[in-house]
């Protein structure tokens, strides 16, 4: 699995050079689709269930071996600091030991989760069919409202935040 994710990251690393990051792969995101998971925290001490979180949530899949992933992590930290109404979760595709070392060395304060063997299925359910990294999904009221395959810029984060602020809870429903 690690080899597959590394190849996908390497393939995606060339994409910004060729044509820029894409909000989604070829298929449209499943906006409005319910998306839930329960994953252990990096330290293994607790589980985080997406549906139990209040407010909008930004979930970022990353690896320490993915340069665009590493580049966007401080930007995600700044986004979380500037948007206290958002929960930002980092899902590491690395081993717990490697992810722990990386997080400590880089002083990341965001919650880091470990996906286990289901990382590819979890990303596919959110629209990332190839398992490429970095991959970010935003949810509101347990439903996907935005996302991006590829590294996030400040403008991308603004687009996602504004899209989720106005996103309906279910397809075709009015915003509460």
């Amino acid at each position: 699995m690690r080899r597959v994710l590394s190849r996908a990251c390497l393939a995606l690393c060339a994409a910004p050079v060729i044509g820029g990051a894409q909000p989604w792969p070829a298929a449209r995101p499943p906006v409005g689709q319910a998306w839930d998971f329960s994953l252990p925290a990096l330290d293994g001490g607790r589980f985080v269930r997406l549906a139990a979180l209040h407010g909008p949530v930004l979930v970022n899949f990353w690896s320490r071996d993915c340069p665009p992933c590493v580049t966007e992590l401080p930007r995600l930290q700044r986004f979380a600091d500037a948007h206290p109404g958002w929960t930002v979760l980092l899902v590491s595709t690395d081993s717990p030991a490697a992810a722990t070392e990386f997080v400590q060395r880089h002083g990341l304060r965001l919650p880091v989760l470990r996906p286990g063997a289901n990382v590819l299925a979890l990303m596919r359910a959110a629209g990332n069919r190839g398992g490429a990294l970095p991959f970010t999904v935003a949810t509101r009221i347990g439903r996907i409202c935005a996302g991006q395959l590829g590294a996030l810029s400040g403008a991308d984060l603004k687009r996602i935040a504004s899209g989720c602020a106005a996103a309906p809870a279910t397809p075709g429903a009015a915003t509460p």
Side-chain angles (χ1 to χ4, degrees):
M1 177 176 64
R2 179 127 176 92
R3 184 176 294 144
V4 170
L5 288 172
S6 293
R7 285 184 190 151
C9 179
L10 289 174
L12 188 58
C13 290
V17 174
I18 296 167
Q22 299 297 315
W24 287 93
R28 297 292 306 155
V31 171
Q33 176 179 306
W35 188 56
D36 191 20
F37 58 78
S38 182
L39 294 174
L42 186 57
D43 63 9
R46 62 184 168 87
F47 275 79
V48 173
R49 177 145 189 231
L50 184 62
L53 299 174
H54 301 287
V57 180
L58 192 71
V59 180
N60 178 263
F61 293 86
W62 65 283
S63 169
R64 72 189 195 293
D65 296 330
C66 169
C69 300
V70 173
T71 299
E72 77 181 352
L73 289 172
R75 188 173 295 119
L76 292 169
Q77 184 68 61
R78 288 190 302 274
F79 176 83
D81 293 344
H83 297 84
W86 280 77
T87 299
V88 178
L89 301 172
L90 303 177
V91 181
S92 173
T93 60
D94 298 313
S95 71
T100 299
E101 186 275 328
F102 182 91
V103 166
Q104 290 173 347
R105 186 167 28 102
H106 288 86
L108 294 173
R109 301 180 316 275
L110 295 170
V112 181
L113 309 178
R114 12 180 219 141
N118 68 346
V119 66
L120 292 175
L122 189 57
M123 288 193 288
R124 280 188 193 113
N128 183 350
R129 293 189 179 130
L133 298 173
F135 179 58
T136 305
V137 179
T139 66
R140 183 171 168 265
I141 314 171
R143 297 192 176 276
I144 295 173
C145 56
Q148 181 163 309
L149 178 61
L152 296 164
S153 67
D156 295 325
L157 286 167
K158 285 180 185 176
R159 173 185 50 80
I160 289 170
S162 66
C164 288
T170 58
T175 302

